[in-house]
Amino acid sequence: MHEWKWDSMYSQLVAYSKENEFEPYKENNAELASWYRTQLNQLSVGKLREDRIPKIKAIKFKGPASRNKWIPQYEELVRFRKENPDKWPQYDRENPDSPETKLNVFCQTIRKRYREDDLGDYWFEKMVEIDFNFEGKTDNWTRYYEEVKSIISDRNTISIAEIGDNAYSWIIRHKKLYESGELSNYQSEKVSELNLNRFFETWDETFSKVETWVQDNNKIPTRNDNKDLNSWLYSQRARFKNGFLTAEQINCLESIGFDLEGKGKEINEQKWLSQFAEYKQFVENNGREPSVVTENKLYIWVQSQRAHYAGNLRNRNAMPQNRLDLLNSVGFKWVGEGPGGDESWENNFLLFSQKIDSFGNINLPTHIDGTINPLYTWWFNQKRAFENGKLSEIRINRFKEIGFDFNDSKNNSQRDGFTKWSKRLIEIADFININGHYPRAGKDKLESNLYQSLARTKRSYKDGELSDKQLELLKKLKIEFE
């Protein structure tokens, strides 16, 4: 096909795709339908020209041409449901050509495609819009619903003995499905009309039990802790996602730290509550704060709470109110109120000294488990105090004792970026030790980058631009340029 002809057909296809959900078909544009099918076939067997592949792939239809015939049937089904909200089309064996029978066949076709995973997102979403029952059991459901409604209409209490095992089981099951938001809109409306809450505990009464449990145990109930309360809580998440919770109910659930979004926040909350319980028990048993030396993990948690609180004062993410309340309830000491200056400083200094490697590099992460590292905050404050002339001579000397000089650090960072350079040089030394030769330029990206870094250092070495400290590290790592 000539280039101009292909471009012309493609332009027609683009225009068609903007006005139609499904692929072109013989009845509305035979030439375009045939051409498009040819392009798809060539694409599938690898014969479509390379420059045309992205163009064809850029055209997105919601389904094949055969789906076009469903549109008038769908519109007819929508009209049928508006006139008959309590039923779906039935098959009339005595009149197989009736409009209702044809709609029933259409519904069965949709269900078959759904079971075979061949329905497609477009038609699935269209059927969901009208609360389509993909299992085809809605009519049976409605009939039994009416039977249950008649049984309980004049009752104030229900039990198996009063209404029978089948009806009672149906009520229990549908009450749970209703609360979890797993029923269709039609079924939810019908179950709501039964007013089942008059036979059971109200939402507020159940939440009150959950709230009391959380306050007593400092955590959200798990299935092992309390299966009934846990199941009720997680059913609220489904109700929330389906828009069945009131604003007041949402506020209640959030006030106890329950994650309605279901994105893992409740797991973090459980961890936090567990750590809080450990901290509370430790203080009660020992009458003091955890130490960085003997209770390192708990000490870091305590410091992170102070850092979080301080971040709130600086307009960062605020600490949740329920955490503030719990910490205040045990007399938690916030920023500037913790146990003693010198002892606390020495604890941090001891932990910091363990983060310096044999080359004098500081290996201190800024964050731990997504939370700012309190030791990094302490270290940052020491540097800031030094720069502002507020770090005592005693503490400056303590840093010198472990091989760190603030003046050298400042000069190196300004003049030659020693820390960054030294880390790169150590990588080069490791490469030489492992491979038995110096890095070379080539296709290997890592080796090539090391080669370039080494070449720059070599030029600086020959030009006499390296500091004494850099020359000392080169000698220590046995990297030679002669």
Side-chain angles (χ1 to χ4, degrees), residues 2 99 377 418 463:
H2 293 296
T377 301
F418 179 79
D463 293 339

Side-chain angles (χ1 to χ4, degrees), residues 233-242 245 250 253-254 257-269:
L233 265 179
Y234 279 81
S235 72
Q236 302 312 298
R237 178 180 291 165
R239 295 192 68 204
F240 170 75
K241 289 181 178 179
N242 288 283
L245 288 180
I250 292 171
L253 292 166
E254 289 179 342
F258 184 67
D259 175 24
L260 283 167
E261 296 288 349
K263 295 180 180 178
K265 292 180 181 178
E266 79 280 356
I267 296 176
N268 290 331
E269 187 67 14

Side-chain angles (χ1 to χ4, degrees), residues 106-325:
F106 170 65
C107 290
Q108 295 303 328
T109 300
I110 293 292
R111 290 178 181 124
K112 182 175 183 295
R113 296 287 189 182
Y114 173 75
R115 289 193 298 271
E116 296 173 351
D117 197 24
D118 188 34
L119 185 58
D121 292 341
Y122 175 82
W123 278 110
F124 176 75
E125 291 170 4
K126 294 291 286 184
M127 301 310 291
V128 167
E129 287 177 7
I130 60 172
D131 292 327
F132 185 72
N133 187 297
F134 290 95
E135 303 300 327
K137 300 176 181 178
T138 300
D139 293 305
N140 290 334
W141 187 93
T142 301
R143 282 193 289 272
Y144 197 73
Y145 163 84
E146 294 295 343
E147 183 178 336
V148 170
K149 183 178 180 180
S150 175
I151 292 173
I152 68 174
S153 60
D154 298 326
R155 292 183 176 276
N156 294 319
T157 62
I158 57 171
S159 66
I160 294 176
E162 292 174 305
I163 65 174
D165 183 66
N166 289 340
Y168 187 81
S169 297
W170 187 95
I171 289 173
I172 296 298
R173 183 173 72 258
H174 281 78
K175 184 176 184 297
K176 289 183 178 180
L177 292 173
Y178 173 79
E179 291 176 345
S180 65
E182 296 181 48
L183 297 176
S184 68
N185 288 343
Y186 166 74
Q187 291 174 331
S188 292
E189 290 172 5
K190 289 296 183 182
V191 171
S192 178
E193 292 174 8
L194 296 178
N195 189 24
L196 296 179
N197 281 338
R198 72 183 191 270
F199 304 122
F200 302 95
E201 196 171 65
T202 66
W203 192 96
D204 289 337
E205 289 171 338
T206 304
F207 174 76
S208 180
K209 288 183 177 180
V210 173
E211 184 178 37
T212 300
W213 195 97
V214 171
Q215 290 173 349
D216 291 342
N217 296 274
N218 291 322
K219 66 175 184 175
I220 301 295
T222 64
R223 289 185 64 82
N224 291 333
D225 295 327
N226 191 313
K227 182 179 179 180
D228 291 338
L229 295 185
N230 174 268
S231 297
W232 183 85
L233 265 179
Y234 279 81
S235 72
Q236 302 312 298
R237 178 180 291 165
R239 295 192 68 204
F240 170 75
K241 289 181 178 179
N242 288 283
F244 295 146
L245 288 180
T246 66
E248 184 178 356
Q249 289 171 335
I250 292 171
N251 289 334
C252 286
L253 292 166
E254 289 179 342
S255 72
I256 61 172
F258 184 67
D259 175 24
L260 283 167
E261 296 288 349
K263 295 180 180 178
K265 292 180 181 178
E266 79 280 356
I267 296 176
N268 290 331
E269 187 67 14
Q270 292 279 23
K271 290 181 179 178
W272 189 93
L273 290 170
S274 177
Q275 286 273 246
F276 169 77
E278 184 181 347
Y279 167 76
K280 179 182 177 182
Q281 191 64 47
F282 178 87
V283 174
E284 288 177 354
N285 293 342
N286 299 276
R288 64 173 176 86
E289 295 278 303
S291 165
V292 68
V293 179
T294 53
E295 298 88 27
N296 180 258
K297 184 177 179 181
L298 192 55
Y299 169 84
I300 290 176
W301 181 84
V302 170
Q303 293 300 325
S304 69
Q305 306 316 301
R306 290 175 178 143
H308 195 172
Y309 180 77
N312 178 28
L313 295 179
R314 296 182 179 91
N315 295 320
R316 297 173 185 167
N317 291 335
M319 176 177 282
Q321 190 60 46
N322 69 304
R323 294 187 180 184
L324 281 170
D325 293 341

Side-chain angles (χ1 to χ4, degrees), residues 30 38 95 378 391 452 458 464:
T38 298
N95 191 4
W378 175 86
L391 191 64
Q452 292 173 20
K458 184 176 182 179

